[in-house]
Amino acid sequence: MSANPPNIATIPDGTRLPQPSDIGELVDSLNQADSNPRRTVAAVAARAMEEMVELCLSAGLNSGDILSSVADALANQAMKQGYAQGYTVYPSEICADKTRRGLVGELADVRLLLKDLEYVAKVQGEPDTAEKNVLQELQQAKLDGTLYLDMQGTMRRRKPHVNGQGGTRNA
């Protein structure tokens, strides 16, 4: 077993958990010289929301529940901004804190809520091993030529249930 850098958690088999650079560098490596999809924070966040929808479905929400939660979240953000600014802010007018500090704070909120979900679902630690396995699957998909960047520069896998190639929504 190889030594792990300090402060990097390991999974039960003794290997380290995938780090942000592991997945980021894998996805960055998909960028072909002849294509130039630009990877942006907004595009990757939108891709993460797609996975969150799948997570919510797996947790028992239906599409109506998910849409209601998104509408409520947007309404809540508009109300918070309106209160802070002293006038009505509609959901279509929300101006989010797009600073590094704002992003880091929201990432922390999401990460903590995911850990709470692990606890409530009684699957503590299981996603750690699954995460390592998924990263290995993605690395293999890259070798197989089924992992690519879409038009927004986000990672996708070509899957049999979707027709088409590179520019389609396959993940």
Side-chain angles (χ1 to χ4, degrees):
M1 178 169 71
S2 63
N4 287 306
N7 300 322
I8 294 182
T10 59
I11 58 176
D13 69 4
T15 58
R16 73 178 177 85
L17 286 170
Q19 299 300 299
S21 59
D22 295 327
I23 186 65
E25 290 171 8
L26 172 65
V27 177
D28 283 346
S29 75
L30 299 172
N31 199 356
Q32 303 285 325
D34 59 341
S35 67
N36 194 15
R38 186 168 186 275
R39 286 175 34 79
T40 66
V41 173
V44 176
R47 180 69 180 86
M49 188 166 43
E50 292 178 29
E51 292 300 328
M52 290 298 297
V53 166
E54 291 180 23
L55 172 66
C56 290
L57 291 168
S58 293
L61 280 76
N62 63 39
S63 57
D65 297 330
I66 294 167
L67 288 170
S68 293
S69 292
V70 170
D72 288 349
L74 289 169
N76 185 51
Q77 291 302 310
M79 287 181 358
K80 284 196 303 189
Q81 277 190 14
Y83 180 78
Q85 296 174 11
Y87 58 86
T88 301
V89 173
Y90 295 95
S92 63
E93 300 172 329
I94 295 170
C95 294
D97 178 0
K98 296 176 187 169
T99 65
R100 179 183 188 90
R101 182 177 179 189
L103 178 64
V104 169
E106 296 305 329
L107 278 167
D109 289 348
V110 169
R111 290 170 65 162
L112 286 171
L113 284 168
L114 288 173
K115 289 175 183 183
D116 188 38
L117 180 57
E118 280 185 49
Y119 176 81
V120 170
K122 297 180 178 22
V123 296
Q124 288 180 172
E126 292 178 45
D128 293 344
T129 301
E131 185 177 298
K132 184 189 99 173
N133 293 339
V134 169
L135 184 59
Q136 289 172 343
E137 290 171 13
L138 292 173
Q139 290 167 333
Q140 185 60 52
K142 179 187 174 191
L143 294 174
D144 295 342
T146 59
L147 192 66
Y148 68 97
L149 294 180
D150 67 10
M151 298 300 285
Q152 289 74 43
T154 58
M155 175 185 59
R156 302 281 180 185
R157 279 192 276 183
R158 288 183 182 88
K159 294 186 176 180
H161 67 279
V162 179
N163 295 324
Q165 297 296 315
T168 60
R169 303 183 75 202
N170 291 325

Coordinates of all heavy atoms in Angstrom, one line a residue, residues 107-140:
L107 N -20.3 25.6 -2.4 CA -19.8 24.3 -2.5 C -19.7 23.6 -1.1 O -20.1 22.4 -1.0 CB -18.3 24.3 -3.1 CG -18.2 24.4 -4.6 CD1 -16.8 24.8 -5.0 CD2 -18.7 23.1 -5.2
A108 N -19.3 24.4 -0.1 CA -19.3 23.8 1.3 C -20.7 23.4 1.7 O -20.9 22.3 2.3 CB -18.7 24.8 2.2
D109 N -21.7 24.2 1.4 CA -23.1 23.9 1.7 C -23.5 22.5 1.1 O -24.1 21.7 1.7 CB -24.1 25.0 1.3 CG -24.0 26.2 2.1 OD1 -23.3 26.2 3.2 OD2 -24.6 27.2 1.7
V110 N -23.2 22.4 -0.2 CA -23.6 21.2 -1.0 C -22.9 20.0 -0.4 O -23.5 18.9 -0.2 CB -23.4 21.4 -2.5 CG1 -23.5 20.1 -3.2 CG2 -24.3 22.5 -3.1
R111 N -21.6 20.1 -0.2 CA -20.8 19.0 0.3 C -21.3 18.5 1.7 O -21.4 17.3 1.9 CB -19.3 19.3 0.4 CG -18.7 19.5 -1.1 CD -17.4 20.0 -1.1 NE -16.4 19.2 -0.4 CZ -15.1 19.2 -0.5 NH1 -14.6 20.2 -1.3 NH2 -14.3 18.4 0.1
L112 N -21.6 19.5 2.6 CA -22.2 19.1 3.9 C -23.5 18.4 3.7 O -23.8 17.5 4.4 CB -22.2 20.3 4.8 CG -20.9 20.8 5.3 CD1 -21.0 22.1 6.1 CD2 -20.3 19.7 6.2
L113 N -24.4 19.0 2.9 CA -25.7 18.3 2.7 C -25.6 16.9 2.1 O -26.3 16.0 2.5 CB -26.6 19.2 1.8 CG -27.2 20.4 2.6 CD1 -27.8 21.4 1.6 CD2 -28.2 20.0 3.6
L114 N -24.6 16.7 1.2 CA -24.4 15.4 0.7 C -23.9 14.4 1.8 O -24.4 13.3 1.8 CB -23.4 15.4 -0.5 CG -23.9 16.0 -1.8 CD1 -22.8 16.1 -2.8 CD2 -25.1 15.2 -2.3
K115 N -23.1 14.9 2.7 CA -22.7 14.1 3.8 C -23.8 13.8 4.7 O -24.0 12.6 5.2 CB -21.5 14.8 4.5 CG -20.2 14.7 3.7 CD -19.1 15.5 4.4 CE -17.9 15.5 3.4 NZ -16.8 16.1 3.9
D116 N -24.7 14.7 4.9 CA -25.9 14.5 5.8 C -26.8 13.5 5.1 O -27.4 12.6 5.7 CB -26.7 15.8 6.0 CG -27.8 15.6 7.0 OD1 -27.6 14.9 8.0 OD2 -28.9 16.3 6.8
L117 N -26.9 13.6 3.7 CA -27.7 12.6 3.0 C -27.2 11.2 3.2 O -27.9 10.2 3.4 CB -27.8 13.0 1.5 CG -28.6 12.1 0.6 CD1 -30.1 11.9 1.1 CD2 -28.6 12.6 -0.8
E118 N -25.9 11.1 3.1 CA -25.2 9.8 3.4 C -25.6 9.2 4.7 O -25.9 8.0 4.9 CB -23.7 9.9 3.3 CG -23.1 9.9 2.0 CD -21.5 9.9 2.1 OE1 -21.0 9.0 2.8 OE2 -20.9 10.7 1.4
Y119 N -25.6 10.1 5.7 CA -26.0 9.7 7.1 C -27.4 9.3 7.2 O -27.7 8.2 7.7 CB -25.7 10.9 8.0 CG -26.1 10.6 9.5 CD1 -25.3 9.9 10.3 CD2 -27.3 11.1 10.0 CE1 -25.6 9.6 11.6 CE2 -27.7 10.8 11.3 CZ -26.8 10.1 12.1 OH -27.2 9.8 13.4
V120 N -28.3 10.1 6.7 CA -29.7 9.8 6.8 C -30.1 8.5 6.0 O -30.9 7.7 6.4 CB -30.6 11.0 6.3 CG1 -32.1 10.6 6.1 CG2 -30.4 12.2 7.2
A121 N -29.4 8.3 4.8 CA -29.7 7.1 4.0 C -29.0 5.9 4.5 O -29.1 4.8 4.0 CB -29.3 7.4 2.6
K122 N -28.2 6.1 5.6 CA -27.4 5.0 6.2 C -26.5 4.3 5.2 O -26.4 3.1 5.1 CB -28.4 4.0 6.8 CG -29.2 4.6 8.0 CD -30.1 3.5 8.6 CE -30.9 4.0 9.8 NZ -31.2 5.4 10.0
V123 N -25.8 5.1 4.4 CA -24.8 4.6 3.4 C -23.5 5.3 3.7 O -22.7 5.3 2.7 CB -25.3 4.8 2.0 CG1 -26.6 4.1 1.7 CG2 -25.5 6.3 1.7
Q124 N -23.2 5.7 4.9 CA -21.9 6.4 5.2 C -20.7 5.5 4.7 O -20.6 4.4 5.0 CB -21.8 6.6 6.7 CG -22.7 7.6 7.2 CD -22.5 7.8 8.7 OE1 -23.1 8.8 9.2 NE2 -21.8 7.0 9.5
G125 N -19.9 6.2 4.0 CA -18.7 5.6 3.5 C -18.8 4.8 2.1 O -17.9 4.7 1.4
E126 N -20.0 4.3 1.9 CA -20.2 3.6 0.6 C -20.0 4.4 -0.6 O -19.4 3.9 -1.6 CB -21.6 3.0 0.6 CG -21.8 1.9 1.6 CD -23.2 1.3 1.7 OE1 -23.8 1.0 0.6 OE2 -23.8 1.1 2.8
P127 N -20.4 5.7 -0.6 CA -20.1 6.5 -1.8 C -18.6 6.7 -2.0 O -18.2 6.9 -3.2 CB -20.8 7.8 -1.6 CG -22.0 7.4 -0.7 CD -21.4 6.4 0.2
D128 N -17.8 6.6 -1.0 CA -16.3 6.7 -1.2 C -15.8 5.6 -2.1 O -15.1 6.0 -3.1 CB -15.6 6.6 0.2 CG -15.9 7.8 1.1 OD1 -16.5 8.8 0.6 OD2 -15.7 7.6 2.3
T129 N -16.2 4.4 -1.9 CA -15.7 3.3 -2.7 C -16.3 3.4 -4.1 O -15.7 3.2 -5.1 CB -16.1 2.0 -2.1 OG1 -15.4 1.9 -0.8 CG2 -15.6 0.8 -3.0
A130 N -17.6 3.8 -4.1 CA -18.3 3.9 -5.4 C -17.7 5.1 -6.3 O -17.5 4.9 -7.5 CB -19.8 4.2 -5.2
E131 N -17.3 6.1 -5.6 CA -16.6 7.3 -6.3 C -15.3 6.8 -6.9 O -15.1 7.2 -8.1 CB -16.4 8.4 -5.3 CG -15.8 9.6 -5.8 CD -15.6 10.7 -4.8 OE1 -16.6 11.1 -4.2 OE2 -14.5 11.1 -4.6
K132 N -14.5 6.0 -6.2 CA -13.3 5.5 -6.8 C -13.6 4.6 -8.0 O -12.9 4.8 -9.0 CB -12.5 4.7 -5.8 CG -11.2 4.2 -6.3 CD -10.5 3.3 -5.3 CE -10.8 1.9 -5.8 NZ -10.1 0.8 -5.2
N133 N -14.6 3.8 -7.9 CA -15.0 2.9 -9.0 C -15.5 3.7 -10.2 O -15.1 3.3 -11.3 CB -16.0 1.9 -8.5 CG -15.5 0.9 -7.5 OD1 -14.3 0.7 -7.4 ND2 -16.4 0.3 -6.7
V134 N -16.3 4.7 -10.0 CA -16.8 5.5 -11.1 C -15.6 6.2 -11.8 O -15.5 6.3 -13.0 CB -17.8 6.5 -10.6 CG1 -18.1 7.6 -11.7 CG2 -19.1 5.8 -10.2
L135 N -14.6 6.8 -11.0 CA -13.5 7.4 -11.6 C -12.7 6.4 -12.5 O -12.3 6.7 -13.6 CB -12.6 8.0 -10.6 CG -11.4 8.8 -11.1 CD1 -11.8 9.9 -12.0 CD2 -10.5 9.3 -10.0
Q136 N -12.6 5.2 -12.0 CA -11.9 4.2 -12.8 C -12.7 3.9 -14.1 O -12.1 3.7 -15.2 CB -11.7 2.9 -12.0 CG -10.6 3.0 -10.9 CD -10.6 1.8 -10.0 OE1 -11.5 1.0 -9.9 NE2 -9.5 1.7 -9.3
E137 N -14.0 3.8 -14.0 CA -14.9 3.6 -15.2 C -14.7 4.8 -16.2 O -14.7 4.5 -17.4 CB -16.3 3.5 -14.7 CG -16.7 2.2 -14.0 CD -18.1 2.3 -13.4 OE1 -18.9 3.2 -13.8 OE2 -18.4 1.4 -12.6
L138 N -14.6 6.0 -15.7 CA -14.4 7.1 -16.5 C -13.1 7.1 -17.2 O -13.0 7.4 -18.4 CB -14.6 8.4 -15.8 CG -16.0 8.7 -15.2 CD1 -16.0 10.0 -14.3 CD2 -17.0 8.9 -16.4
Q139 N -12.1 6.7 -16.5 CA -10.7 6.5 -17.1 C -10.8 5.5 -18.2 O -10.2 5.7 -19.3 CB -9.7 6.2 -16.0 CG -9.4 7.4 -15.1 CD -8.7 7.0 -13.8 OE1 -8.7 5.8 -13.4 NE2 -7.9 7.9 -13.3
Q140 N -11.5 4.4 -18.0 CA -11.6 3.3 -19.0 C -12.4 3.8 -20.2 O -12.1 3.5 -21.3 CB -12.2 2.0 -18.4 CG -12.3 0.9 -19.4 CD -10.9 0.5 -19.9 OE1 -10.0 0.3 -19.1 NE2 -10.7 0.4 -21.2

